[in-house]
Amino acid sequence: MSGAREKKRAKRMRNQPASVTLPVEPGPFSGGGSRACPPAGDVRSEQQYQQQKFSNQSSGPSYRKDQYFPKGQNRGERGRGRGGWQGGRQSVSEEMPKYITVSTFAQARAAEINAMLKAVAQKSSNSLVFQTLPRHMRRRAMSHNIKRLPRRLQEIARKEAEKAVHQKKEQSKTKCRKARRRHINLVAEFNRRQRKNIWLETHIWHAKRFHMVKKWGYCLGNSPTEKSYRACYRAMTKHCLLQDLSYYCCLELTGKENELLKQLARICSIDTGLTFEEACCLSGRFEGSLNLYRADRYPDNMLGPVTFIWKPRDGSENRQLWIWMHPALKQDILRELKAIFQCSEPEEIYIPEPVTTSIQEEKQMDVVLSLGKKRKKEDKEGEKAVPVKKIIGDGTRDPFHSYSWVSQTTGIVISDRTMEILRYRLIGPLSHSVLTETLKAASVQTEMADSETELNNWWVENCKDSEKVSLHQHQSAVFELLEGISSPSEMPPGTILGLTVGDPRVNLPKKKTKAMPDFEKYQDNDKVRQLYLEGVPVDCAHSFIWDQDICKNVTENKISEQDLNHMRAQLLVPGSHLDLGPCESKIPILLVQQPGKMAGEDRPGWGSGWDIYLPKGWGMAFWIPLIYRGVRVGGLQEALKHSEYQRTPHTPNDFPDCQAGMQFAKELETSLLEKFKRRPPAKRANYVKLGTLSPFVCPWGQLTKNWEGRMKASGEFVRPSSPHPECCATEGHSFCDPKAEVVKEASPETGEVEETMEITSSEGALKTEDVTGTQDFGERDETMTNDFIVLRSEKLLMQLSAWCYPTAGKDRRVRLVSRLGQKEMTEDVFLPILMSYPRALVWVNLSLLRKGNPELHAMICIPTEDDLLHLSKDKLFCGPQEPKHRDIFKHKVQKLKEEKKKKKKMGNTKALEGDPPSIPDKETTEEHEDLILGLWSDALPDVTSHCSRTLLGYVTRGDFSLAAGCGEALGFVSLTGLLYMLHSQPADKKGLVLLRTPASLQYRFARLNIEV
């Protein structure tokens, strides 16, 4: 019992202030114990007291025996010693101090009280006030109702509620699905999402079925999500493929015909084919296509390809012209048109009525959120707010920017009608059957259905004119004759047919059907044969779609889907034909025939079809009925394949001499380089060893410059010498080529001896005379500079096309040259061409003779004499192989890795020592960033002679062709190199080239053709 009391006393006294001390030798005390008083100066200071207090608190309670009993005294002696326990009663052997310093003592006590109050007020956990209560006193309502708490805790809880952490979160903008799917909220959300990238009217339909991409400021369908590669080809070949081309841009020019033709003649050339002055196109009967250049700069400064349609003459002095172009070319062409017509001042600033700007949308959404009303919303002034409407046309255009420009000198007006006219393309031999089944000519109407509305008022006024009624009947008769033709390619190229049709939603079939032609109905019809021979008359090319007021009326007075479905529900026989009578909308459209494949001798007319031009707002009303006729829908990839099988350049991919083409090449290089870097070095190709200098971009400027240098150095064409089979030297040494040497060296990985290609020039350097300075990968000025042209002269292309065919042997084409009236290939003929176009590229198509699949950026090379001799002996000979090159950058990359490891190690050491990390040198960092294992990181050498076969050009598109049944490629070759090759090749082997993909050493033979 006494031991427990001693511990209890020690525990009670352990936090006593230092001013109260126990004497070592206690004196006698009247209570059975003794207590001694210290001398006067023995009161400890406040500082010593605080130190003692801290040491006592930090050490914690200790109940060791040495703490309470002096050394040498144990528990058995504590009752018998002096100052201990006597007679079973506690003898306190302590002495009270005689006096204390009041100020010091009060300060010490005040500090303790403050510490105690702070400890009580401070929360030791993250729990709320009501969570500190006993469980039996807690209530669920305490978390949100402070009055449920005890009164002593309500003030603390009120302070907690005022803190930002415990405040109620703002109501999330993401509503429930039911609220989000309401029409007004859905339209507002769709309008918000169109601010950066314009949506087509068929966007929602595409987004559910296509992979969508953001390109040229639009959100477009790239390719279907289902497997449809072959199905789309079959549709183009046997039935019909549908594409939405509404993203193409339309510029409308209005003014006097002479003034228009005078200035437009400056940006085109008759040397390339059609011009704006072509008689058949000027009448408005046919659509024309041409290439535009900067004013008076042909053949330099290419702007891009366009198509154009003239409005047929109607007796007025002014003419209207539509110029259609790819959106990547719009800004350059618009800038040039404004420059040549001197259109600097806007005609007016037009704000489209059915379109709500983003600021208005935000105000309307605020009104909706604040008042919570669905329909009749009010703004801050109390007036009725404009309801949120669906964006129709180019509603994302800035309303404060002009869309029309007028010339003060000539009076010519340039209007931007992009997205105001929709454009669909039907490709395939049965596209006319789809049109005739989907569209029905509008009925003549002489009286208004409802005097209160403006529905069809323009049509009623035109039907009162007998001449216009007879013209409409003539157009309807011609349109019905289209059902009897077998393919759109039988019509004259670019035929235009204007028409006014009824609402196609009325003729919607119950289920999907496949539109087929009816040949028996028009088998022996003279009118069909006359349509083949003469085409559509000029009068039938007229359409009301040229009138903007009529288009606006048609768009605003369209019957909604909801009203149409309500009318269908009221039919006595469900599913029967819905006859709207005079209430049916009348829509003016324009049909333009697309000729398909016109160049070359194989598959003439493949890919032909029709283009439909519609007023805005009627996109889905025409789209769904076309789908119900069994068409297959394609995206951007299908359009790319369509042009590839036609062997025509695709915009902007295959126009390297215009700004849009160079921008496309730059973006493609960036994406391919990023994809290459994502792979580890062991899992990607080493293009340096494969002899591929530029795997991600075609250095057209470098190619044409090197061929020009070879021609200047040589001065004449010399037949290439055949190198030794074991030492594949570069042929054509007469052009001062760097010599190619085969170097045998042991591979560090395998230890085997490998043959590697090492290019050394006469100076022993890797750079040619023309290449100066450094050339960073991805930022090569040679590739992007427009110091070359693409040859588009039809006369010269026809001459080159005739020279590419063999004139002897099994595949000779002697009659072709004589029929075209072309000259034989002599130096007197082709040397003037070289002098006129020293840096020119030629568009070519290549077909592989044997197996093989050409890829993007594949190299087109010239075969040597030994290659052609080997091919003539062995018809199954695939082609030679490129010797493996030596990677001259491998040691630099390894050295860079070692330096990085050392820097990292030094940085870690300095971090442990506490020193600030050193900043690396900027120049060294930039230099090392260009070093990528497997890529040529230095300035490009002579690209024509880097490999064992002389480089002629590059492939821009290549794949296995379902149309030809073999590998086909499209690309460009140097005009100088092509003439050199054709001049040096034997008569029976003309046009044979070698193809090598960037990641392969295998060359494969291909036939080169130029189709005009």
Side-chain angles (χ1 to χ4, degrees), residues 716-766:
E716 61 178 355
F717 287 98
V718 181
R719 197 176 187 85
S721 58
S722 176
H724 195 271
E726 295 181 357
C727 56
C728 300
T730 308
E731 45 107 0
H733 295 292
S734 60
F735 271 43
C736 301
D737 297 341
K739 298 178 181 178
E741 299 176 358
V742 175
V743 181
K744 292 187 177 182
E745 60 178 12
S747 174
E749 291 87 357
T750 60
E752 298 176 357
V753 177
E754 298 179 351
E755 287 189 355
T756 59
M757 192 81 178
E758 188 171 6
I759 309 297
T760 56
S761 63
S762 56
E763 292 85 12
L766 281 165

Side-chain angles (χ1 to χ4, degrees), residues 411-432:
I412 292 174
V413 180
I414 302 175
S415 302
D416 183 6
R417 299 200 66 185
T418 302
M419 294 292 292
E420 300 297 307
I421 304 295
L422 307 182
R423 184 177 175 182
Y424 294 160
R425 174 165 291 178
L426 294 168
I427 303 170
L430 299 185
S431 55
H432 58 281

Side-chain angles (χ1 to χ4, degrees), residues 148-410:
R148 290 283 184 178
L149 285 164
R151 288 185 180 179
R152 61 185 178 85
L153 299 177
Q154 286 183 9
E155 188 64 30
I156 302 174
R158 195 172 287 107
K159 290 180 180 179
E160 282 184 352
E162 291 174 359
K163 292 182 180 178
V165 180
H166 302 295
Q167 276 183 356
K168 259 189 178 179
K169 292 184 179 178
E170 294 181 4
Q171 190 173 1
S172 176
K173 292 182 180 179
T174 306
K175 304 176 183 177
C176 64
R177 177 175 171 79
K178 184 178 179 181
R180 282 187 279 119
R181 299 303 296 178
R182 288 195 191 112
H183 180 70
I184 185 171
N185 296 333
L186 206 59
V187 172
E189 175 65 12
F190 288 165
N191 290 351
R192 182 192 64 81
R193 288 162 60 183
Q194 295 182 61
R195 292 174 190 171
K196 290 186 179 179
N197 296 283
I198 302 172
W199 285 7
L200 307 184
E201 290 190 15
T202 58
H203 172 84
I204 302 296
W205 191 95
H206 277 91
K208 295 176 180 179
R209 299 164 179 87
F210 275 69
H211 298 288
M212 306 301 289
V213 293
K214 294 177 175 62
K215 280 189 173 182
W216 312 302
Y218 294 87
C219 197
L220 306 174
N222 189 42
S223 60
T225 52
E226 62 179 356
K227 292 183 179 180
S228 59
Y229 180 79
R230 289 178 178 269
C232 288
Y233 169 74
R234 284 195 299 269
M236 285 188 282
T237 307
K238 297 180 180 179
H239 192 249
C240 182
L241 183 82
L242 175 63
Q243 289 178 331
D244 189 353
L245 300 184
S246 302
Y247 61 92
Y248 266 63
C249 302
C250 177
L251 296 178
E252 183 182 87
L253 275 65
T254 308
K256 295 181 180 179
E257 181 179 319
N258 294 333
E259 293 291 338
L260 288 171
L261 293 176
K262 179 181 177 182
Q263 298 299 329
L264 290 174
R266 299 174 57 194
I267 59 175
C268 59
S269 174
I270 198 173
D271 194 24
T272 60
L274 295 178
T275 62
F276 291 101
E277 299 179 12
E278 191 70 28
C280 59
C281 299
L282 191 60
S283 63
R285 188 181 174 190
F286 296 101
E287 179 192 49
S289 59
L290 47 79
N291 295 310
L292 296 184
Y293 294 83
R294 296 203 182 275
D296 308 321
R297 298 297 298 274
Y298 173 81
D300 297 324
N301 299 107
M302 167 79 169
L303 291 175
V306 298
T307 58
F308 64 93
I309 301 174
W310 285 94
K311 181 184 177 181
R313 293 184 176 91
D314 54 358
S316 175
E317 185 181 7
N318 289 342
R319 296 290 304 274
Q320 280 180 263
L321 171 67
W322 281 354
I323 302 178
W324 288 86
M325 68 211 69
H326 194 274
L329 312 172
K330 176 184 172 182
Q331 295 302 326
D332 293 336
I333 294 177
L334 179 60
R335 193 182 301 113
E336 192 66 22
L337 287 175
K338 288 194 291 185
I340 62 173
F341 288 113
Q342 299 177 358
C343 297
S344 56
E345 297 182 5
E347 184 185 22
E348 61 179 348
I349 296 179
Y350 170 73
I351 302 177
E353 291 182 3
V355 176
T356 55
T357 61
S358 58
I359 301 173
Q360 292 172 345
E361 290 171 13
E362 290 173 0
K363 289 181 179 178
Q364 292 163 12
M365 289 306 297
D366 293 341
V367 171
V368 173
L369 292 174
S370 60
L371 299 181
K373 294 182 180 180
K374 294 182 184 177
R375 299 196 177 274
K376 294 182 180 179
K377 301 177 294 295
E378 294 184 356
D379 54 13
K380 294 179 181 179
E381 287 80 12
E383 301 174 355
K384 289 184 179 179
V386 181
V388 179
K389 294 184 179 181
K390 181 181 177 182
I391 289 180
I392 299 175
D394 190 6
T396 55
R397 182 191 332 213
D398 191 344
F400 299 104
H401 285 182
S402 59
Y403 81 108
S404 184
W405 302 266
V406 62
S407 173
Q408 300 296 332
T409 55
T410 59

Side-chain angles (χ1 to χ4, degrees), residues 485-756:
I485 65 176
S486 59
S487 174
S489 61
E490 296 178 357
M491 299 287 292
T495 299
I496 297 176
L497 174 62
L499 194 64
T500 303
V501 298
D503 195 335
R505 296 173 292 179
V506 177
N507 305 321
L508 203 64
K510 294 181 181 179
K511 60 180 182 179
K512 279 188 180 182
T513 57
K514 201 166 187 178
M516 300 300 292
D518 187 2
F519 296 113
E520 296 179 359
K521 190 175 179 181
Y522 301 98
Q523 190 170 5
D524 298 327
N525 199 329
D526 294 335
K527 293 183 179 179
V528 176
R529 288 195 293 270
Q530 185 180 2
L531 189 64
Y532 288 158
L533 299 174
E534 299 179 3
V536 178
V538 181
D539 297 339
C540 293
H542 175 77
S543 175
F544 293 106
I545 199 173
W546 289 93
D547 193 336
Q548 294 189 27
D549 296 331
I550 292 178
C551 289
K552 184 179 178 182
N553 188 323
V554 171
T555 300
E556 292 177 352
N557 295 293
K558 174 191 171 186
I559 301 176
S560 65
E561 291 285 343
Q562 184 180 7
D563 297 339
L564 209 60
N565 292 332
H566 184 66
M567 295 176 189
R568 287 196 184 105
Q570 292 179 347
L571 290 173
L572 294 177
V573 181
S576 60
H577 178 71
L578 177 63
D579 187 10
L580 297 178
C583 295
E584 183 180 0
S585 300
K586 309 300 188 292
I587 307 104
I589 65 171
L590 202 64
L591 299 176
V592 180
Q593 188 260 4
Q594 296 298 318
K597 189 176 185 299
M598 299 179 65
E601 297 179 352
D602 58 330
R603 297 180 286 112
W606 186 93
S608 60
W610 291 89
D611 279 6
I612 317 174
Y613 295 86
L614 313 168
K616 68 177 180 180
W618 284 88
M620 289 303 296
F622 279 77
W623 186 264
I624 297 300
L626 290 171
I627 298 296
Y628 267 71
R629 264 64 186 194
V631 302
R632 184 168 284 274
V633 182
L636 296 178
Q637 290 300 317
E638 284 67 35
L640 189 69
K641 287 297 173 184
H642 177 238
S643 64
E644 184 176 326
Y645 291 155
Q646 288 189 102
R647 298 169 185 166
T648 55
H650 189 72
T651 311
N653 310 24
D654 301 321
F655 289 87
D657 55 338
C658 71
Q659 291 296 325
M662 288 188 281
Q663 180 65 26
F664 174 83
K666 194 173 182 180
E667 293 173 359
L668 179 64
E669 180 191 14
T670 304
S671 62
L672 292 177
L673 181 60
E674 289 177 356
K675 185 178 179 182
F676 179 81
K677 288 180 179 178
R678 285 197 296 267
R679 285 179 170 270
K683 302 297 180 184
R684 64 192 186 197
N686 190 326
Y687 291 109
V688 179
K689 287 187 176 182
L690 295 170
T692 306
L693 291 174
S694 184
F696 306 137
V697 68
C698 301
W700 302 118
Q702 181 84 358
L703 177 70
T704 54
K705 184 182 289 187
N706 292 154
W707 271 109
E708 184 188 20
R710 291 165 69 101
M711 185 186 69
K712 288 180 179 178
S714 171
E716 61 178 355
F717 287 98
V718 181
R719 197 176 187 85
S721 58
S722 176
H724 195 271
E726 295 181 357
C727 56
C728 300
T730 308
E731 45 107 0
H733 295 292
S734 60
F735 271 43
C736 301
D737 297 341
K739 298 178 181 178
E741 299 176 358
V742 175
V743 181
K744 292 187 177 182
E745 60 178 12
S747 174
E749 291 87 357
T750 60
E752 298 176 357
V753 177
E754 298 179 351
E755 287 189 355
T756 59

